[in-house]
Amino acid sequence: MWIDLRSDTVTKPTPAMMEAMLSAPLGDDVYGEDPTVNALQNRLTKMFGMDQALFFPTGTMANQAAIKLHTQPGEQVICDKYAHIYNYEGGGASFNSGVSCKLIDGHRGMITAQQVETAINPPDFYHSPLTSLVALENTTNKGGGACWDFEEMKAIKSVCDKHNLGLHLDGARLWNALEVGGATSLQYGQIFDTISVCLSKGLGCPIGSVLLGRKALMKNALRVRKMLGGGMRQVGVLAAAGLYALDHHRDRLSIDHAKAQDLGRVLQNMDNVAEVQPIETNIVIFELTSNTDANSYVEYLKSNQILISDMGGGKLRLVTHLDYTDAMHKKVLEILQNSF
Ligand SMILES: *Cc1c(COP(=O)(O)O)cnc(C)c1O
């Protein structure tokens, strides 16, 4: 039995999810005629109190479309140095939108309103790129699943309003943040101009993300998605998985979070673990002591059929998810406990 803790993207659709996909009513979504896609989009539009929602194949494409909608070539996006849009989207911000990123040295992927204010280039100083967008991420991926203080996001919104900047939320992992609490989906919808949410992470769908936004921005979203190659046909077969996941896989995210806490507790007590980062959701990042080789430890776990991620710089990562069963959890806790 392989136990895969590298990411929460490794989940496979459950039989019941497959059933929902097989029985979904379908149509050509490029004509806007797929009833299941429309149902998913309508449901998320209402959930976030946004004007419009658009289904995308990946979170990357949804973020890339958002950047394009907010910016013109040559302009600049403010984001944390850990941002997914900067680190893990293949350089797409510069390729697709011709923009640069002004990286902020934040804390676990999160930045402050003060840092945003300082990072804005004065619009009349024509030597610098024009700042046009601020992009935040919740929960933060590279930041180890950390959750924002909603008040700080609100403060950033005020800065954006004052300087006429767009505000995008990379909410690929927002379901985990919503589970932890602090703010509702409607509150997120009130402060962000665009939000991307992922169905293929914690929610366990095989594919799918949705971009939500206000009407003025979203009027070009269909064309941008087409341009990026994301206009799909009978894609209700995938949207059905999303609808199913919203009904059945949201409440259980607390289970993933609890298991991550268990893993953290065991790691904390291991002699060869130097540090476990605070665990807020389903991501556990830890560092071994300097006399323990990270690669050998990954290989050791692999010889016990446990897969984890090496993030480089001595950091290792475990992510709990839908397919990580209680039996697997018991075995992992035992193996970790006996490993040093
Ligand atoms: C996973 C993820 C994405 C998008 O990933 P895709 O693999 O393209 O769906 C975007 N942002 C964050 C923070 C993520 O964790």
Side-chain angles (χ1 to χ4, degrees):
M1 170 178 73
W2 281 94
I3 302 175
D4 197 342
L5 291 171
R6 289 171 301 168
S7 172
D8 48 9
T9 56
V10 300
T11 56
K12 307 217 172 74
T14 62
M17 182 182 276
M18 288 292 245
E19 197 57 47
M21 294 167 76
L22 287 173
S23 56
L26 305 176
D28 189 335
D29 184 50
V30 172
Y31 289 102
E33 291 173 3
D34 189 301
T36 309
V37 172
N38 291 338
L40 176 67
Q41 291 175 169
N42 288 338
R43 180 156 171 189
L44 288 170
T45 302
K46 285 202 187 75
M47 190 186 288
F48 285 86
M50 282 288 205
D51 297 334
Q52 232 172 303
L54 207 54
F55 187 81
F56 281 81
T58 64
T60 296
M61 198 190 281
N63 282 335
Q64 290 300 315
I67 295 169
K68 182 68 204 147
L69 292 171
H70 282 280
T71 61
Q72 292 300 321
E75 294 180 349
Q76 196 160 63
V77 180
I78 293 174
C79 62
D80 183 86
K81 64 182 187 298
Y82 280 1
H84 193 281
I85 60 160
Y86 175 75
N87 289 285
Y88 301 129
E89 299 191 0
S94 53
F95 186 86
N96 296 310
S97 297
V99 296
S100 57
C101 293
K102 175 104 134 213
L103 300 181
I104 309 295
D105 187 18
H107 175 65
R108 303 187 75 203
M110 297 172 293
I111 59 182
T112 65
Q114 184 55 52
Q115 284 176 310
V116 171
E117 182 97 50
T118 309
I120 299 167
N121 295 325
D124 52 356
F125 187 66
Y126 52 80
H127 306 276
S128 302
L130 184 69
T131 308
S132 50
L133 173 65
V134 177
L136 310 180
E137 191 175 310
N138 199 19
T139 73
T140 62
N141 180 329
K142 201 173 157 73
C147 298
W148 278 77
D149 171 5
F150 192 70
E151 291 304 313
E152 196 64 46
M153 291 183 146
K154 271 166 61 182
I156 291 175
K157 170 63 173 167
S158 302
V159 174
C160 290
D161 284 348
K162 188 169 128 201
H163 296 274
N164 200 23
L165 309 178
L167 184 60
H168 172 67
L169 177 64
D170 176 353
R173 302 181 165 281
L174 189 57
W175 307 113
N176 297 92
L178 288 169
E179 173 59 35
V180 170
T184 63
S185 52
L186 285 174
Q187 287 175 300
Y188 279 96
Q190 271 164 16
I191 67 168
F192 287 95
D193 301 312
T194 49
I195 300 177
S196 63
V197 293
C198 223
L199 302 164
S200 58
K201 297 266 170 79
L203 294 191
C205 294
I207 176 173
S209 279
V210 173
L211 181 66
L212 297 137
R214 310 233 161 272
K215 202 176 283 160
L217 273 168
M218 292 297 281
K219 71 179 194 308
N220 291 322
L222 271 174
R223 174 169 283 110
V224 169
R225 186 181 70 175
K226 187 73 183 169
M227 193 178 70
L228 294 171
M232 300 182 287
R233 303 293 176 173
Q234 285 71 25
V235 72
V237 72
L238 302 175
L243 285 166
Y244 179 87
L246 289 171
D247 283 333
H248 299 98
H249 293 169
R250 271 194 75 187
D251 285 348
R252 59 154 309 287
L253 286 172
S254 58
I255 299 172
D256 297 345
H257 296 181
K259 283 180 176 152
Q261 292 292 342
D262 294 341
L263 292 167
R265 270 192 295 276
V266 168
L267 287 165
Q268 213 115 45
N269 289 323
M270 283 164 49
D271 289 342
N272 291 32
V273 171
E275 197 203 335
V276 182
Q277 285 185 11
I279 299 161
E280 296 179 42
T281 52
N282 66 330
I283 302 180
V284 181
I285 295 180
F286 66 101
E287 275 177 67
L288 298 170
T289 49
S290 53
N291 57 348
T292 313
D293 178 54
N295 192 45
S296 324
Y297 192 60
V298 172
E299 287 305 314
Y300 165 76
L301 290 179
K302 202 170 181 176
S303 70
N304 284 288
Q305 297 193 300
I306 298 168
L307 300 176
I308 71 167
S309 294
D310 187 342
M311 298 184 75
K315 287 186 180 155
L316 299 176
R317 186 181 85 165
L318 306 160
V319 188
T320 59
H321 53 73
L322 182 63
D323 288 359
Y324 178 55
T325 63
D326 292 346
M328 291 176 181
H329 189 46
K330 188 158 173 278
K331 180 180 162 184
V332 171
L333 292 174
E334 273 166 21
I335 296 204
L336 288 177
Q337 251 150 359
N338 297 328
S339 59
F340 288 125

